[in-house]
Amino acid sequence: IVTGCRKKTAVDTFMLGSVSQSLLEKAECPVAIVRGSSLALSADDGSNVLVTVDDSEHSAAAVEWLQWQEWMKKSHIALLSVSDPLHRSAIEGVRAASDHLLEYQAEKMLIERLLDKWAEYLRKGGNAREITRGTVDGAIEETILKGAHNWPANLIVMGAQGKTGLVKLVLGSVSQHISTHAECTVLVVKGMES
């Protein structure tokens, strides 16, 4: 599904909702939210495509989806993994902080291996002019948005985590936040299995 996105005030979005956000939430297939002012995608000249990845099946599905996209052959793909080292509080004591640090380091090593694997997977398919990869520490949503703005990205591709109910209400959705605040087109790959 491809849909546009109009700028609305926060009150409009809260009171009336957003068609694009409703589609993003309810669709069982990939959803692209196109911004009118975003940089155009170009199959001829290539585009800058930022792919957000983690160790989930949803990220793997997004990378696999890219493998089948012929229009990306001249694009520069950047695989980006963002870790929020402060997502859990160290207030619980030194032991908890130490355990968290060990877990964080193990997750970083896992992500590094996955980034290598996915970059090689895309290279073998000849799917891009250039493929780069990296890990960054920071608040996940803001780091992705800043990276997309500074590069500048024509497209952000991400997998949907599929949070529902109370978890989604309390924690929100990374893909919804990115699709609402990004300056470029956002494609959320849903309804596909890795």
Side-chain angles (χ1 to χ4, degrees):
I1 297 173
V2 178
T3 184
C5 184
R6 273 192 326 211
K7 288 282 185 186
K8 290 184 178 182
T9 67
V11 173
D12 288 341
T13 302
F14 179 75
M15 298 297 286
L16 302 173
S18 161
V19 172
S20 58
Q21 290 303 306
S22 182
L23 285 169
L24 183 59
E25 183 178 328
K26 295 175 182 162
E28 295 181 14
C29 62
V31 176
I33 299 175
V34 180
R35 302 249 177 240
S37 61
S38 63
L39 296 170
L41 295 168
S42 173
D44 295 330
D45 299 328
S47 299
N48 288 342
V49 180
L50 179 65
V51 184
T52 64
V53 295
D54 57 24
D55 62 347
S56 71
E57 286 290 317
H58 309 286
S59 284
V63 172
E64 288 177 14
W65 179 88
L66 283 172
Q67 179 70 18
W68 301 104
Q69 306 309 308
E70 288 292 322
W71 58 270
M72 299 214 18
K73 295 271 186 215
K74 294 184 181 178
S75 293
H76 177 181
I77 296 175
L79 300 172
L80 174 67
S81 179
V82 181
S83 298
D84 189 349
L86 302 176
H87 75 283
R88 282 182 246 150
S89 173
I91 294 174
E92 299 160 353
V94 174
R95 172 87 174 152
S98 175
D99 290 346
H100 171 67
L101 182 59
L102 290 172
E103 184 179 315
Y104 170 75
Q105 291 298 329
E107 288 173 6
K108 289 286 270 193
M109 290 174 25
L110 171 66
I111 287 296
E112 287 290 336
R113 287 192 303 271
L114 285 172
L115 287 170
D116 288 340
K117 174 183 156 186
W118 288 332
E120 185 59 27
Y121 175 76
L122 292 170
R123 272 189 201 97
K124 282 183 180 177
N127 269 53
R129 169 178 45 90
E130 182 177 356
I131 299 171
T132 56
R133 51 169 299 300
T135 60
V136 179
D137 288 335
I140 294 170
E141 293 94 341
E142 298 313 313
T143 303
I144 292 168
L145 291 170
K146 186 176 181 180
H149 171 80
N150 290 342
W151 186 11
N154 302 81
L155 174 67
I156 299 172
V157 176
M158 57 194 329
Q161 291 293 334
K163 293 178 187 167
T164 58
L166 186 60
V167 172
K168 182 175 179 181
L169 183 64
V170 173
L171 298 178
S173 162
V174 172
S175 58
Q176 283 191 323
H177 183 86
I178 299 299
S179 66
T180 302
H181 295 91
E183 297 170 353
C184 62
T185 297
V186 176
L187 176 82
V188 179
V189 177
K190 303 175 64 175
M192 301 177 70
E193 294 182 15
S194 169

